[in-house]
Amino acid sequence: MTAPFDALRDQLTSAATRFAGAGAPVADILTGIVDDVDRALREELEIFPVCHHSPASALAMARRLREKQPRVIYLELCEDLRPILDELRNCKLPVAVQAWAGEVDGFPKQWAPLSVVAPITEASAEYQAIAYALDTPGVELVLVDRSTDHVFQWTPAEPAEASAVEDEESGLHGDAVGIEIGDMRPHFAELEEHLLHHGKVRHWSEWWDQYVEQPLAGADYDTYRQVMVLIGSLFRRLRRGDLDRDEDRERYMWTRMREHLAASGADPAACLYICGAFHAASRVEQFGLASRAPFEISPRSATVWQYGLIPSSHSAIEAQFGLAAGSVSIAAATWSKGLRRNGISPFQLNGQAKSPARRGKVKPLPAATPAGETDKLSGFLSSPPRLDNLDEAELLEWSVDIVRLARRNGYLASTADAIAIFETSILLAGMRNRARPTPYDFQDAAITCIEKDHTPGRRDVRRLCEILLGGDRIGQVGYAALPPLAQDVLDRLAPLGLDLNKRTVQRCLLDLQTDKHLQPCSDLLWILRRLMPAEAVRPIMGTRALGERSIQESWDLAIGKYQRDLVQIGYEGVTLEQVLEQRLRRAVADPDATAAVALAAVTDALLYLDSTRLADELGARAVELLATERSVDDAPEVLRRIRLLLNYFRATDAGLPEWCGRFVTAGYAHYCTLLPTAFADEDTGVRPVAAMLGFLFGMENLALSLGCDHTQLELAVLQSHPEAPAKVALLWATRYQLGLLTLAELRTRCDDMLANPLVVPAFPNYLTGFIQAMDPVPTLKPFIVEVLSKAFGRLPDAVLLPWLPKLITTLKGQAAELIPALTREAGRTFPATLPAIDAWVPPWLAGPKPVAALPVADGGPVGDLLRAHPATCDALAELLGHPGSWATAGPAADPALTALLARHPATADALATLVPSA
C-alpha cells in the first residue's frame, strides 16, 4: 500500500541528492521531517499543533472545535494551573495565569521569589480551547504539561535575570519565567539569518507572519496540521543544543495523558491533544498511546505555590518572549480580519465582554479527511500565495486612518501622504517579493512618508501604526478574580468614591478633620504607599511622621494601572496589615539585617500599624543586631533613627520602652569598643566615625544614668591614633569636647598649619573633619566658622579651588544635618547688613577690648572686709592673669549706704564673724 507522503518523500530525496550529493545529511533531514508529519498524523490521539499567540492557530482551532466537538481536551500547560482558569471569565484579556512562591523549600534561597506566568490573549488557540471546554457541558479540560514546581526542578542553573524593559506596560510580567505553547523559532542562528535575508524581512516575527500566518489563515484543517508539524520538525532537527528538557516535557505529557485515559475510560477518538508544533514532531519513546515506555515523574518539592491572574499586555508578551515590537498587535488584527473573512464564530467565555468584531458570511467547511490519508503538503509548498482583493481596500483604509491619527499627534500629514503611503506599501511589497503588502510594509511606508527627517509629534509613527492595528491592549483582572487582599483594599477604599479599576491617575482630597470616616482610608493609603511602587499611590499634600498626623491630604491614585503589584501583594496575606507585619519580621530576621534596618522596621510599625507590641519585638532585635555588628558604616543611619525614636517616645505617656534603654547602653559600649579601630581604619569614612561620636556624646547622659562608665569613652579616645587628616581633626574636636584640649591650643594648631607651606595642601582635609564634628561637638561651631573663614582668606587658589567640589559634595550629601547649623552660626558671626561689612573686623583678628577701670570702692564694711582678708581676691586675680595690686580706699561716696549699714550693724557684724570662722 502506498503511503500518502511517499511521492513527497521521493521528491525531496531527489532534490537533496541534486543539491548536496548522495549520502548528504540534508537528505536525511528532509525525509525525516516528512516521516515526522506522517507519524504525528497517524497517531490514534488527534494532535493539534499550535504556535504561541498565532491567529492562524486560533482560527484553525475554532474551526476544528466546532467540527469535532471533542469531549476531552489535553492542553500543554502547567497541570497545577487548572483551577485558576475558571476565573478567566471575570477578566479582560490579555491576562497572564501566574504561579508564585515567596518562600522556597527545595530550591536555592537566592531564587526566591519564584514566579511563572502563562499569558493568554483572545487571538490564541489555547484561549479558544479553554473557552470551549469551560462553557460546553460535559467537556473536560486536562492540563498535561509539567507543574510549575517541575519548571524550576528542571532548571539546571539559576533562572536568567529579567531584561530591562522600556516602559511600564512591557514590565507587567515582572521577572517571571514565561510559559508558552509552541515556541516556533529555529534557535539556529545561521538558519534564522538565512531566512530573514532571503525573505527580505527584518525580524523573525515578520518572516513568520508572511510565510506561515497569512498562507495558513484560510487553509483547511489538514493543510494546517501538516504544515505546522512540518515546520516544528524542521526546527527541531536543526536545533543546536540540549533537547533533554523538551523531551522530558514530552515524556511527561504523554505519561499524563495515558494515565487519564486509563482512569477515565475516555474514547481517544473523542479527545484532542493541543501542543506546540515542536512537540507534535516528538521522537521520544513515550510518544503515542500505544507506547508502554515508562517515565518516572519526580515528586514536587515542599515549596508552597499560590495561583492567580495578573494583567498582561501585548508589549509585555513581546518583551518576555523576544518578539518584535507590535507583532502581537498585528496578530490581533490578523485574527479579527480572519474572523470576518471566513465567517468564523470564535469561542468566548460567558461573562466576558463580547468582541465587537463583525462576522462575514459563513463559509462551508470542507469535508473531513481521514487522518494521514491525504498529502496536502505538496500542493501547499508548490503553490504561490494568492492575492486577496480585500487587502487593497484594507490598505487604503489603513492609509487614510494613519494620516488622521498622525495629524492628531502633531504631524503635518495630508491626503497626499495617504496616497504616498498606499503606493509605497505596494512598492515595498513588490521589492520584497511579496504577493500583497503586509502590516510591516505598511508600517515602513508610513514611517517613510510621514516622519521624513524628524519626529515633531509626541509619538513616533511606528507606535501610531501599532495603535491603528489594534494598539497595545492591556488586560485587567476582574474583582471576582482578584485575591482576597486586593478585594479588601478596593472595599476599604470605596468611601473615596473613585473607580480604582481605571488605569488613569485620579486625584482625591481627604479632609480628615471634617470627615472622620475617611481616616481608615488615609491609613490604608499610607500602607499602600509603603508596599506598592511610588507612582501607584503618591501623596501630593500631607505627611506621616512619628508624632505627626495631617488634617488634610491629597493623593494621586493609579492603583488600576499597577494592578499586577496589588495582586502580587495578595499572594502574601489576607490584609495589607498582615503583609506589612510579615515583611517587617522577615526584614529583621534576615541574616544580612543590620541595626539600621531593624530601627527602620520599628519606625514603620509605629507609623503604619500603630503597634507598640510589634515595635518592642523589632526593637529587641535591633539591640541584638547592634551588639553583633563589626562595621560602623551604618552609624549615621542608626544615629538618625534612634534620635527620632527617642524624641517620639519621650513625648508619649508611656515614656521610653525598655528596649530603648538597652539599645543606648549597648550602643554606648559597642561604639566605645570600636572607636579606636574606626579612627585607624582607612576603609572607614569620616562620617561614620562622626556619627559614632554623635551617638556617644548625644546619648551619654542617658547611658550614664543606666549604668555606663564615662571612663570607657575617655580610654577609647586616648587609644585612638588616626593618620588621615580629616579623622585627626575629628579627634581634636573630640578631645576638646572631653576637656583634654583647650580652644586656644586648637586655634594655635590650625594657625600653625596655615603658616606651614608643607601642610597647607592637606589643610582642606582637616576642614572636612571639622565640618563633620559639628554634630557631635556643637560647641565648636563658632570655631569651625572661624577656621573656614581663615581658609578662604589665606589658602591659595591652587589649593582652594580643587577642594571646593569636595566641600560642596559633602554639604549637599548631608544638607539636612550640616547646612542649617553652619548657616545659623555664620549668621551670628558675620554682620547682617552689607554696609557693615566694610567696618567689620573678625572677632578672631580683633584685639581684646580694653577693660574699663572700675571706680575704687569707697570705704565701708564690704571694702574693709575684703582688705582685711585679701587672700581670696589675690588667688582669683592670679587665676585670671591679672596683677594683684590693691588701690587705696578714699572717702565714702554714698553716705546713704554708710548710714544704712550704721543703723543696722547686725548683718555686717554677722558676716564679719562668719568669714574668720570659714
Side-chain angles (χ1 to χ4, degrees):
M1 181 178 178
T2 303
F5 296 102
D6 286 346
L8 178 60
R9 186 181 293 105
D10 295 339
Q11 183 180 359
L12 293 177
T13 302
S14 175
T17 302
R18 292 195 304 271
F19 175 74
V26 65
D28 296 335
I29 294 176
L30 293 178
T31 57
I33 60 179
V34 177
D35 293 338
D36 290 339
V37 174
D38 193 13
R39 182 187 186 193
L41 297 184
R42 290 185 181 276
E43 170 55 36
E44 179 184 5
L45 176 62
E46 182 177 342
I47 301 174
F48 192 104
V50 301
C51 175
H52 198 48
H53 301 302
S54 164
S57 296
L59 292 170
M61 176 63 69
R63 284 200 194 100
R64 186 55 179 167
L65 290 175
R66 295 195 180 279
E67 176 187 346
K68 182 181 178 68
Q69 297 183 358
R71 310 311 297 171
V72 178
I73 292 181
Y74 297 112
L75 181 61
E76 180 196 335
L77 198 61
C78 294
E79 58 184 3
D80 52 334
L81 298 178
R82 173 61 186 89
I84 197 63
L85 294 181
D86 294 317
E87 298 296 338
L88 285 175
R89 66 179 73 255
N90 299 313
C91 302
K92 175 185 175 183
L93 299 182
V95 296
V97 185
Q98 182 181 41
W100 187 87
E103 298 180 359
V104 297
D105 188 351
F107 302 107
K109 290 186 177 181
Q110 62 268 23
W111 288 14
L114 303 179
S115 181
V116 173
V117 298
I120 298 177
T121 64
E122 291 183 5
S124 60
E126 55 266 37
Y127 174 71
Q128 291 299 303
I130 292 171
Y132 166 80
L134 295 184
D135 283 349
T136 305
V139 176
E140 183 178 5
L141 177 64
V142 183
L143 306 187
V144 294
D145 199 2
R146 73 230 191 276
S147 67
T148 52
D149 197 272
H150 286 90
V151 170
F152 292 95
Q153 284 188 29
W154 295 356
T155 302
E158 184 171 356
E161 295 182 358
S163 58
V165 294
E166 297 181 358
D167 51 37
E168 296 173 351
E169 284 72 21
S170 300
L172 285 177
H173 296 172
D175 56 356
V177 175
I179 301 297
E180 57 181 338
I181 301 177
D183 177 17
M184 294 300 288
R185 193 158 185 157
H187 293 277
F188 182 16
E190 290 83 355
L191 173 62
E192 184 171 339
E193 182 181 357
H194 176 83
L195 293 176
L196 297 183
H197 174 72
H198 289 278
K200 294 182 173 60
V201 294
R202 293 161 298 176
H203 44 71
W204 178 252
S205 299
E206 187 175 359
W207 186 94
W208 181 265
D209 178 77
Q210 177 178 346
Y211 292 100
V212 179
E213 289 295 334
Q214 300 298 337
L216 289 181
D220 61 87
Y221 177 59
D222 291 329
T223 302
Y224 167 82
R225 285 184 72 197
Q226 295 176 23
V227 171
M228 291 297 289
V229 177
L230 177 76
I231 298 173
S233 175
L234 176 64
F235 290 168
R236 186 187 188 98
R237 291 178 177 273
L238 294 179
R239 173 175 289 189
R240 291 181 176 179
D242 190 8
L243 292 176
D244 290 345
R245 195 185 314 172
D246 293 309
E247 291 180 346
D248 283 342
R249 291 179 63 186
E250 294 156 4
R251 296 185 179 99
Y252 194 107
M253 289 188 286
W254 281 107
T255 301
R256 288 302 194 207
M257 285 187 289
R258 285 196 295 270
E259 292 175 352
H260 180 268
L261 287 172
S264 64
D267 182 7
C271 301
L272 186 65
Y273 171 35
I274 303 171
C275 66
F278 183 91
H279 300 300
S282 173
R283 301 188 303 275
V284 298
E285 60 276 15
Q286 288 81 4
F287 181 90
L289 297 183
S291 173
R292 293 297 180 264
F295 178 69
E296 183 179 356
I297 298 176
S298 60
R300 301 183 189 180
S301 70
T303 299
V304 178
W305 291 89
Q306 301 185 62
Y307 305 93
L309 298 168
I310 62 173
S312 184
S313 66
H314 290 173
S315 58
I317 298 171
E318 293 159 358
Q320 186 164 35
F321 298 110
L323 304 176
S327 58
V328 179
S329 298
I330 292 176
T334 304
W335 158 257
S336 299
K337 183 173 72 173
L339 293 177
R340 294 194 302 268
R341 176 189 301 173
N342 300 298
I344 298 175
S345 177
F347 292 95
Q348 195 167 24
L349 287 170
N350 294 330
Q352 289 186 330
K354 298 299 181 182
S355 174
R358 292 176 289 114
R359 292 177 52 195
K361 184 178 180 181
V362 179
K363 296 183 178 180
L365 293 171
T369 305
E373 294 187 3
T374 303
D375 174 16
K376 295 296 185 71
L377 282 177
S378 299
F380 180 84
L381 297 177
S382 59
S383 61
R386 294 173 299 175
L387 178 62
D388 192 342
N389 294 330
L390 180 62
D391 286 342
E392 181 176 343
E394 183 181 55
L395 179 61
L396 182 60
E397 181 182 356
W398 285 354
S399 301
V400 174
D401 289 344
I402 191 62
V403 169
R404 182 185 300 113
L405 191 59
R407 291 181 64 86
R408 293 176 185 172
N409 285 269
Y411 290 90
L412 301 178
S414 63
T415 304
D417 291 312
I419 299 173
I421 294 171
F422 179 85
E423 298 295 340
T424 306
S425 300
I426 298 175
L427 177 63
L428 288 176
M431 294 173 62
R432 294 166 178 172
N433 295 329
R434 298 178 181 174
R436 59 182 180 272
T438 67
Y440 297 97
D441 297 322
F442 165 73
Q443 190 178 69
D444 291 341
I447 293 173
T448 303
C449 298
I450 296 179
E451 279 195 350
K452 300 179 176 68
D453 295 332
H454 62 283
T455 307
R458 292 178 299 165
R459 298 187 178 101
D460 58 17
V461 177
R462 183 180 303 278
R463 176 61 179 151
L464 295 179
C465 291
E466 294 174 9
I467 296 174
L468 175 66
L469 297 174
D472 184 15
R473 297 180 185 174
I474 301 174
Q476 188 177 59
V477 180
Y479 176 87
L482 290 173
L485 181 143
Q487 295 180 358
D488 179 66
V489 168
L490 297 180
D491 292 342
R492 293 165 64 181
L493 293 180
L496 298 179
L498 301 176
D499 184 3
L500 297 178
N501 291 319
K502 291 183 178 179
R503 293 183 54 82
T504 56
V505 179
Q506 302 177 77
R507 176 70 58 87
C508 69
L509 177 63
L510 307 182
D511 189 348
L512 303 177
Q513 191 172 20
T514 304
D515 299 332
K516 300 295 183 182
H517 68 282
L518 293 179
Q519 185 60 51
C521 296
S522 172
D523 297 336
L524 187 64
L525 289 175
W526 284 110
I527 299 178
L528 285 172
R529 170 72 175 173
R530 170 65 172 75
L531 297 176
M532 294 187 68
E535 296 302 319
V537 180
R538 188 163 58 96
I540 305 301
M541 179 180 65
T543 59
R544 175 155 293 197
L546 290 174
E548 298 181 14
R549 291 294 185 272
S550 304
I551 61 174
Q552 281 189 338
E553 294 176 354
S554 179
W555 294 84
D556 274 353
L557 304 180
I559 297 177
K561 186 176 182 180
Y562 292 87
Q563 190 183 55
R564 168 189 169 269
D565 300 275
L566 185 60
V567 172
Q568 292 279 148
I569 297 173
Y571 295 144
E572 303 181 44
V574 179
T575 64
L576 283 178
E577 290 79 2
Q578 179 190 5
V579 171
L580 180 56
E581 181 172 345
Q582 291 176 351
R583 289 193 182 184
L584 295 179
R585 292 181 189 276
R586 285 198 300 267
V588 300
D590 190 270
D592 297 329
T594 62
V597 171
L599 292 178
V602 173
T603 304
D604 289 345
L606 295 172
L607 280 180
Y608 305 117
L609 302 178
D610 195 20
S611 174
T612 55
R613 172 194 55 81
L614 180 61
D616 291 343
E617 178 183 338
L618 301 176
R621 175 60 177 165
V623 178
E624 299 174 4
L625 293 172
L626 181 63
T628 58
E629 285 185 358
R630 293 295 174 263
S631 172
V632 297
D633 294 338
D634 289 336
E637 185 69 9
V638 170
L639 176 62
R640 184 181 69 85
R641 292 195 174 276
I642 193 60
R643 279 177 174 172
L644 292 174
L645 288 169
L646 289 177
N647 293 336
Y648 168 75
F649 285 123
R650 283 170 176 155
T652 60
D653 296 335
L656 293 180
E658 181 267 342
W659 70 266
C660 280
R662 291 194 293 116
F663 188 91
V664 170
T665 55
Y668 190 86
H670 183 64
Y671 284 148
C672 283
T673 303
L674 296 181
L675 189 61
T677 304
F679 264 118
D681 188 9
E682 295 181 357
D683 295 332
T684 303
V686 64
R687 190 185 181 198
V689 179
M692 292 173 62
L693 294 171
F695 186 97
L696 293 171
F697 291 144
M699 311 291 171
E700 187 172 23
N701 292 335
L702 179 58
L704 295 181
S705 68
L706 296 174
C708 293
D709 190 358
H710 177 74
T711 306
Q712 188 177 6
L713 175 59
E714 292 183 344
L715 291 176
V717 173
L718 293 175
Q719 293 173 0
S720 301
H721 304 287
E723 296 181 0
K727 291 184 179 179
V728 170
L730 190 59
L731 179 61
W732 290 348
T734 304
R735 294 171 65 87
Y736 167 79
Q737 178 72 8
L738 294 175
L740 303 177
L741 191 66
T742 63
L743 186 61
E745 292 173 340
L746 194 57
R747 181 179 287 110
T748 300
R749 292 185 182 186
C750 292
D751 291 340
D752 291 343
M753 286 191 294
L754 284 173
N756 189 342
L758 298 178
V759 183
V760 163
F763 189 74
N765 295 327
Y766 289 90
L767 282 176
T768 301
F770 283 127
I771 291 174
Q772 294 291 344
M774 285 194 300
D775 181 68
V777 190
T779 57
L780 204 60
K781 292 176 185 176
F783 175 74
I784 294 173
V785 173
E786 173 186 339
V787 173
L788 281 171
S789 301
K790 289 181 179 179
F792 280 98
R794 301 181 188 180
L795 287 178
D797 292 344
V799 175
L800 187 61
L801 293 179
W803 171 69
L804 284 178
K806 183 177 181 180
L807 174 65
I808 295 173
T809 303
T810 300
L811 294 176
K812 181 180 179 181
Q814 306 170 50
E817 306 169 17
L818 301 179
I819 289 184
L822 192 61
T823 303
R824 285 194 298 268
E825 191 58 41
R828 286 192 291 264
T829 303
F830 297 107
T833 60
L834 191 60
I837 293 180
D838 296 334
W840 179 72
V841 178
W844 53 86
L845 295 180
K849 295 181 180 179
V851 180
L854 297 176
V856 179
D858 298 325
V862 178
D864 296 341
L865 178 62
L866 293 177
R867 287 186 178 84
H869 306 282
T872 302
C873 293
D874 292 339
L876 181 60
E878 183 179 357
L879 181 62
L880 297 176
H882 293 279
S885 58
W886 289 82
T888 303
D894 192 350
L897 177 60
T898 304
L900 178 62
L901 293 175
R903 287 195 305 270
H904 305 283
T907 302
D909 294 341
L911 180 60
T913 305
L914 181 61
V915 171
S917 64

